[in-house]
């Protein structure tokens, strides 16, 4: 059986919070455009440096058109790492952000050379980062060490138990 393709996401937690405040769009929601086979991607040559920077227009899981600035690097045959830098609701949200001077994005992008479905992998799964505040991270690290577990494994165990309790009470 073939292994599912996995998108591993990363982003700056401060930028992620700012994006929700300014545009009401969480990076986790924006990440779902990579599941849209019709998403249109254009290389942003002016902003690309050591890594290629892409602008992708696609429908999120709720069917809303979003624009996402990101880098993309394929790590293995079955995984890629995507770093999200900015997202807004459709071209109008992108334009408003530029007009406010909040972005390094150009006023216009010509998607005539855009590639449809460039980053799409059928049946792929999304792995999203979750950032703990410093004090909680220290507590969980101590607990994980005490129990001989990796911090990720410990967080999953704790959250799973919490979800089970919430479901029982609902």
């Amino acid at each position: 059986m073939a292994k599912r393709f996995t998108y591993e996401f990363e982003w700056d937690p401060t930028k992620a919070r700012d994006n929700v405040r300014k545009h009401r769009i969480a990076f986790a929601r924006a990440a779902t455009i990579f599941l849209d086979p019709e998403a249109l991607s254009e290389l942003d040559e002016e902003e690309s440096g050591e890594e290629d920077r892409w602008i992708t227009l696609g429908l999120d899981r709720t069917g809303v058109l979003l624009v996402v600035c990101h880098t993309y690097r394929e790590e293995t045959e079955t995984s890629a790492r995507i770093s999200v830098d900015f997202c807004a609701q459709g071209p109008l949200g992108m334009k408003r952000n530029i007009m406010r001077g909040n972005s390094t994005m150009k006023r216009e992008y010509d998607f005539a050379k855009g590639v449809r479905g460039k980053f799409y992998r059928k049946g792929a799964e999304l792995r999203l980062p979750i950032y703990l505040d410093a004090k909680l991270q220290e507590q969980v690290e101590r607990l994980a060490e005490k129990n001989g577990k990796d911090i990720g494994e410990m967080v999953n165990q704790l959250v799973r138990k919490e979800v089970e309790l919430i479901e029982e009470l609902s």
Side-chain angles (χ1 to χ4, degrees), residues 33-34 39-48 52-58 66-72 83 85-88 90-91 94-95 98 103-111 113-119:
I33 71 163
F34 292 92
L40 190 60
S41 298
E42 176 72 21
L43 179 64
D44 186 350
E45 292 178 19
E46 290 179 26
E47 292 296 326
S48 292
D52 289 342
R53 182 175 173 187
W54 294 88
I55 309 295
T56 298
L57 287 168
L66 298 181
V67 59
V68 178
C69 298
H70 62 91
T71 61
Y72 180 96
S83 180
D85 187 47
F86 166 83
C87 64
M94 182 173 79
K95 188 174 182 178
I98 293 165
S103 177
T104 58
M105 295 178 70
K106 297 184 282 188
R107 286 193 173 277
E108 281 186 7
Y109 286 90
D110 180 2
F111 279 91
K113 295 178 185 175
V115 180
R116 194 165 299 283
K118 172 138 182 84
F119 303 112

Side-chain angles (χ1 to χ4, degrees), residues 81-165:
R81 184 162 304 280
I82 299 172
S83 180
V84 176
D85 187 47
F86 166 83
C87 64
Q89 187 169 328
L92 186 58
M94 182 173 79
K95 188 174 182 178
R96 272 195 301 262
N97 195 55
I98 293 165
M99 292 173 75
R100 291 180 187 142
N102 296 334
S103 177
T104 58
M105 295 178 70
K106 297 184 282 188
R107 286 193 173 277
E108 281 186 7
Y109 286 90
D110 180 2
F111 279 91
K113 295 178 185 175
V115 180
R116 194 165 299 283
K118 172 138 182 84
F119 303 112
Y120 175 74
R121 303 290 186 278
K122 186 176 182 173
E125 64 182 24
L126 307 177
R127 301 219 4 120
L128 306 174
I130 296 174
Y131 297 96
L132 305 175
D133 66 51
K135 186 175 180 181
L136 180 59
Q137 181 174 326
E138 287 175 18
Q139 290 173 311
V140 175
E141 284 173 344
R142 282 195 303 273
L143 190 58
E145 191 174 318
K146 181 179 173 184
N147 288 282
K149 295 184 178 185
D150 167 84
I151 187 171
E153 186 181 4
M154 192 79 240
V155 168
N156 278 304
Q157 180 182 334
L158 293 168
V159 171
R160 194 174 292 113
K161 285 184 178 190
E162 187 68 19
V163 168
E164 288 171 3
L165 282 171

Side-chain angles (χ1 to χ4, degrees), residues 12-81:
D12 178 318
T14 302
K15 280 186 180 180
R17 278 191 302 277
D18 289 348
N19 206 83
V20 170
R21 196 176 83 265
K22 291 176 186 173
H23 305 286
R24 295 188 179 127
I25 297 173
F27 282 179
R29 176 178 160 199
T32 65
I33 71 163
F34 292 92
L35 302 176
D36 176 6
E38 300 296 318
L40 190 60
S41 298
E42 176 72 21
L43 179 64
D44 186 350
E45 292 178 19
E46 290 179 26
E47 292 296 326
S48 292
E50 289 180 22
E51 291 185 294
D52 289 342
R53 182 175 173 187
W54 294 88
I55 309 295
T56 298
L57 287 168
L59 297 177
D60 72 2
R61 68 176 180 268
T62 66
V64 174
L65 183 66
L66 298 181
V67 59
V68 178
C69 298
H70 62 91
T71 61
Y72 180 96
R73 62 186 180 277
E74 214 144 303
E75 306 254 298
T76 68
E77 286 183 12
T78 58
S79 72
R81 184 162 304 280

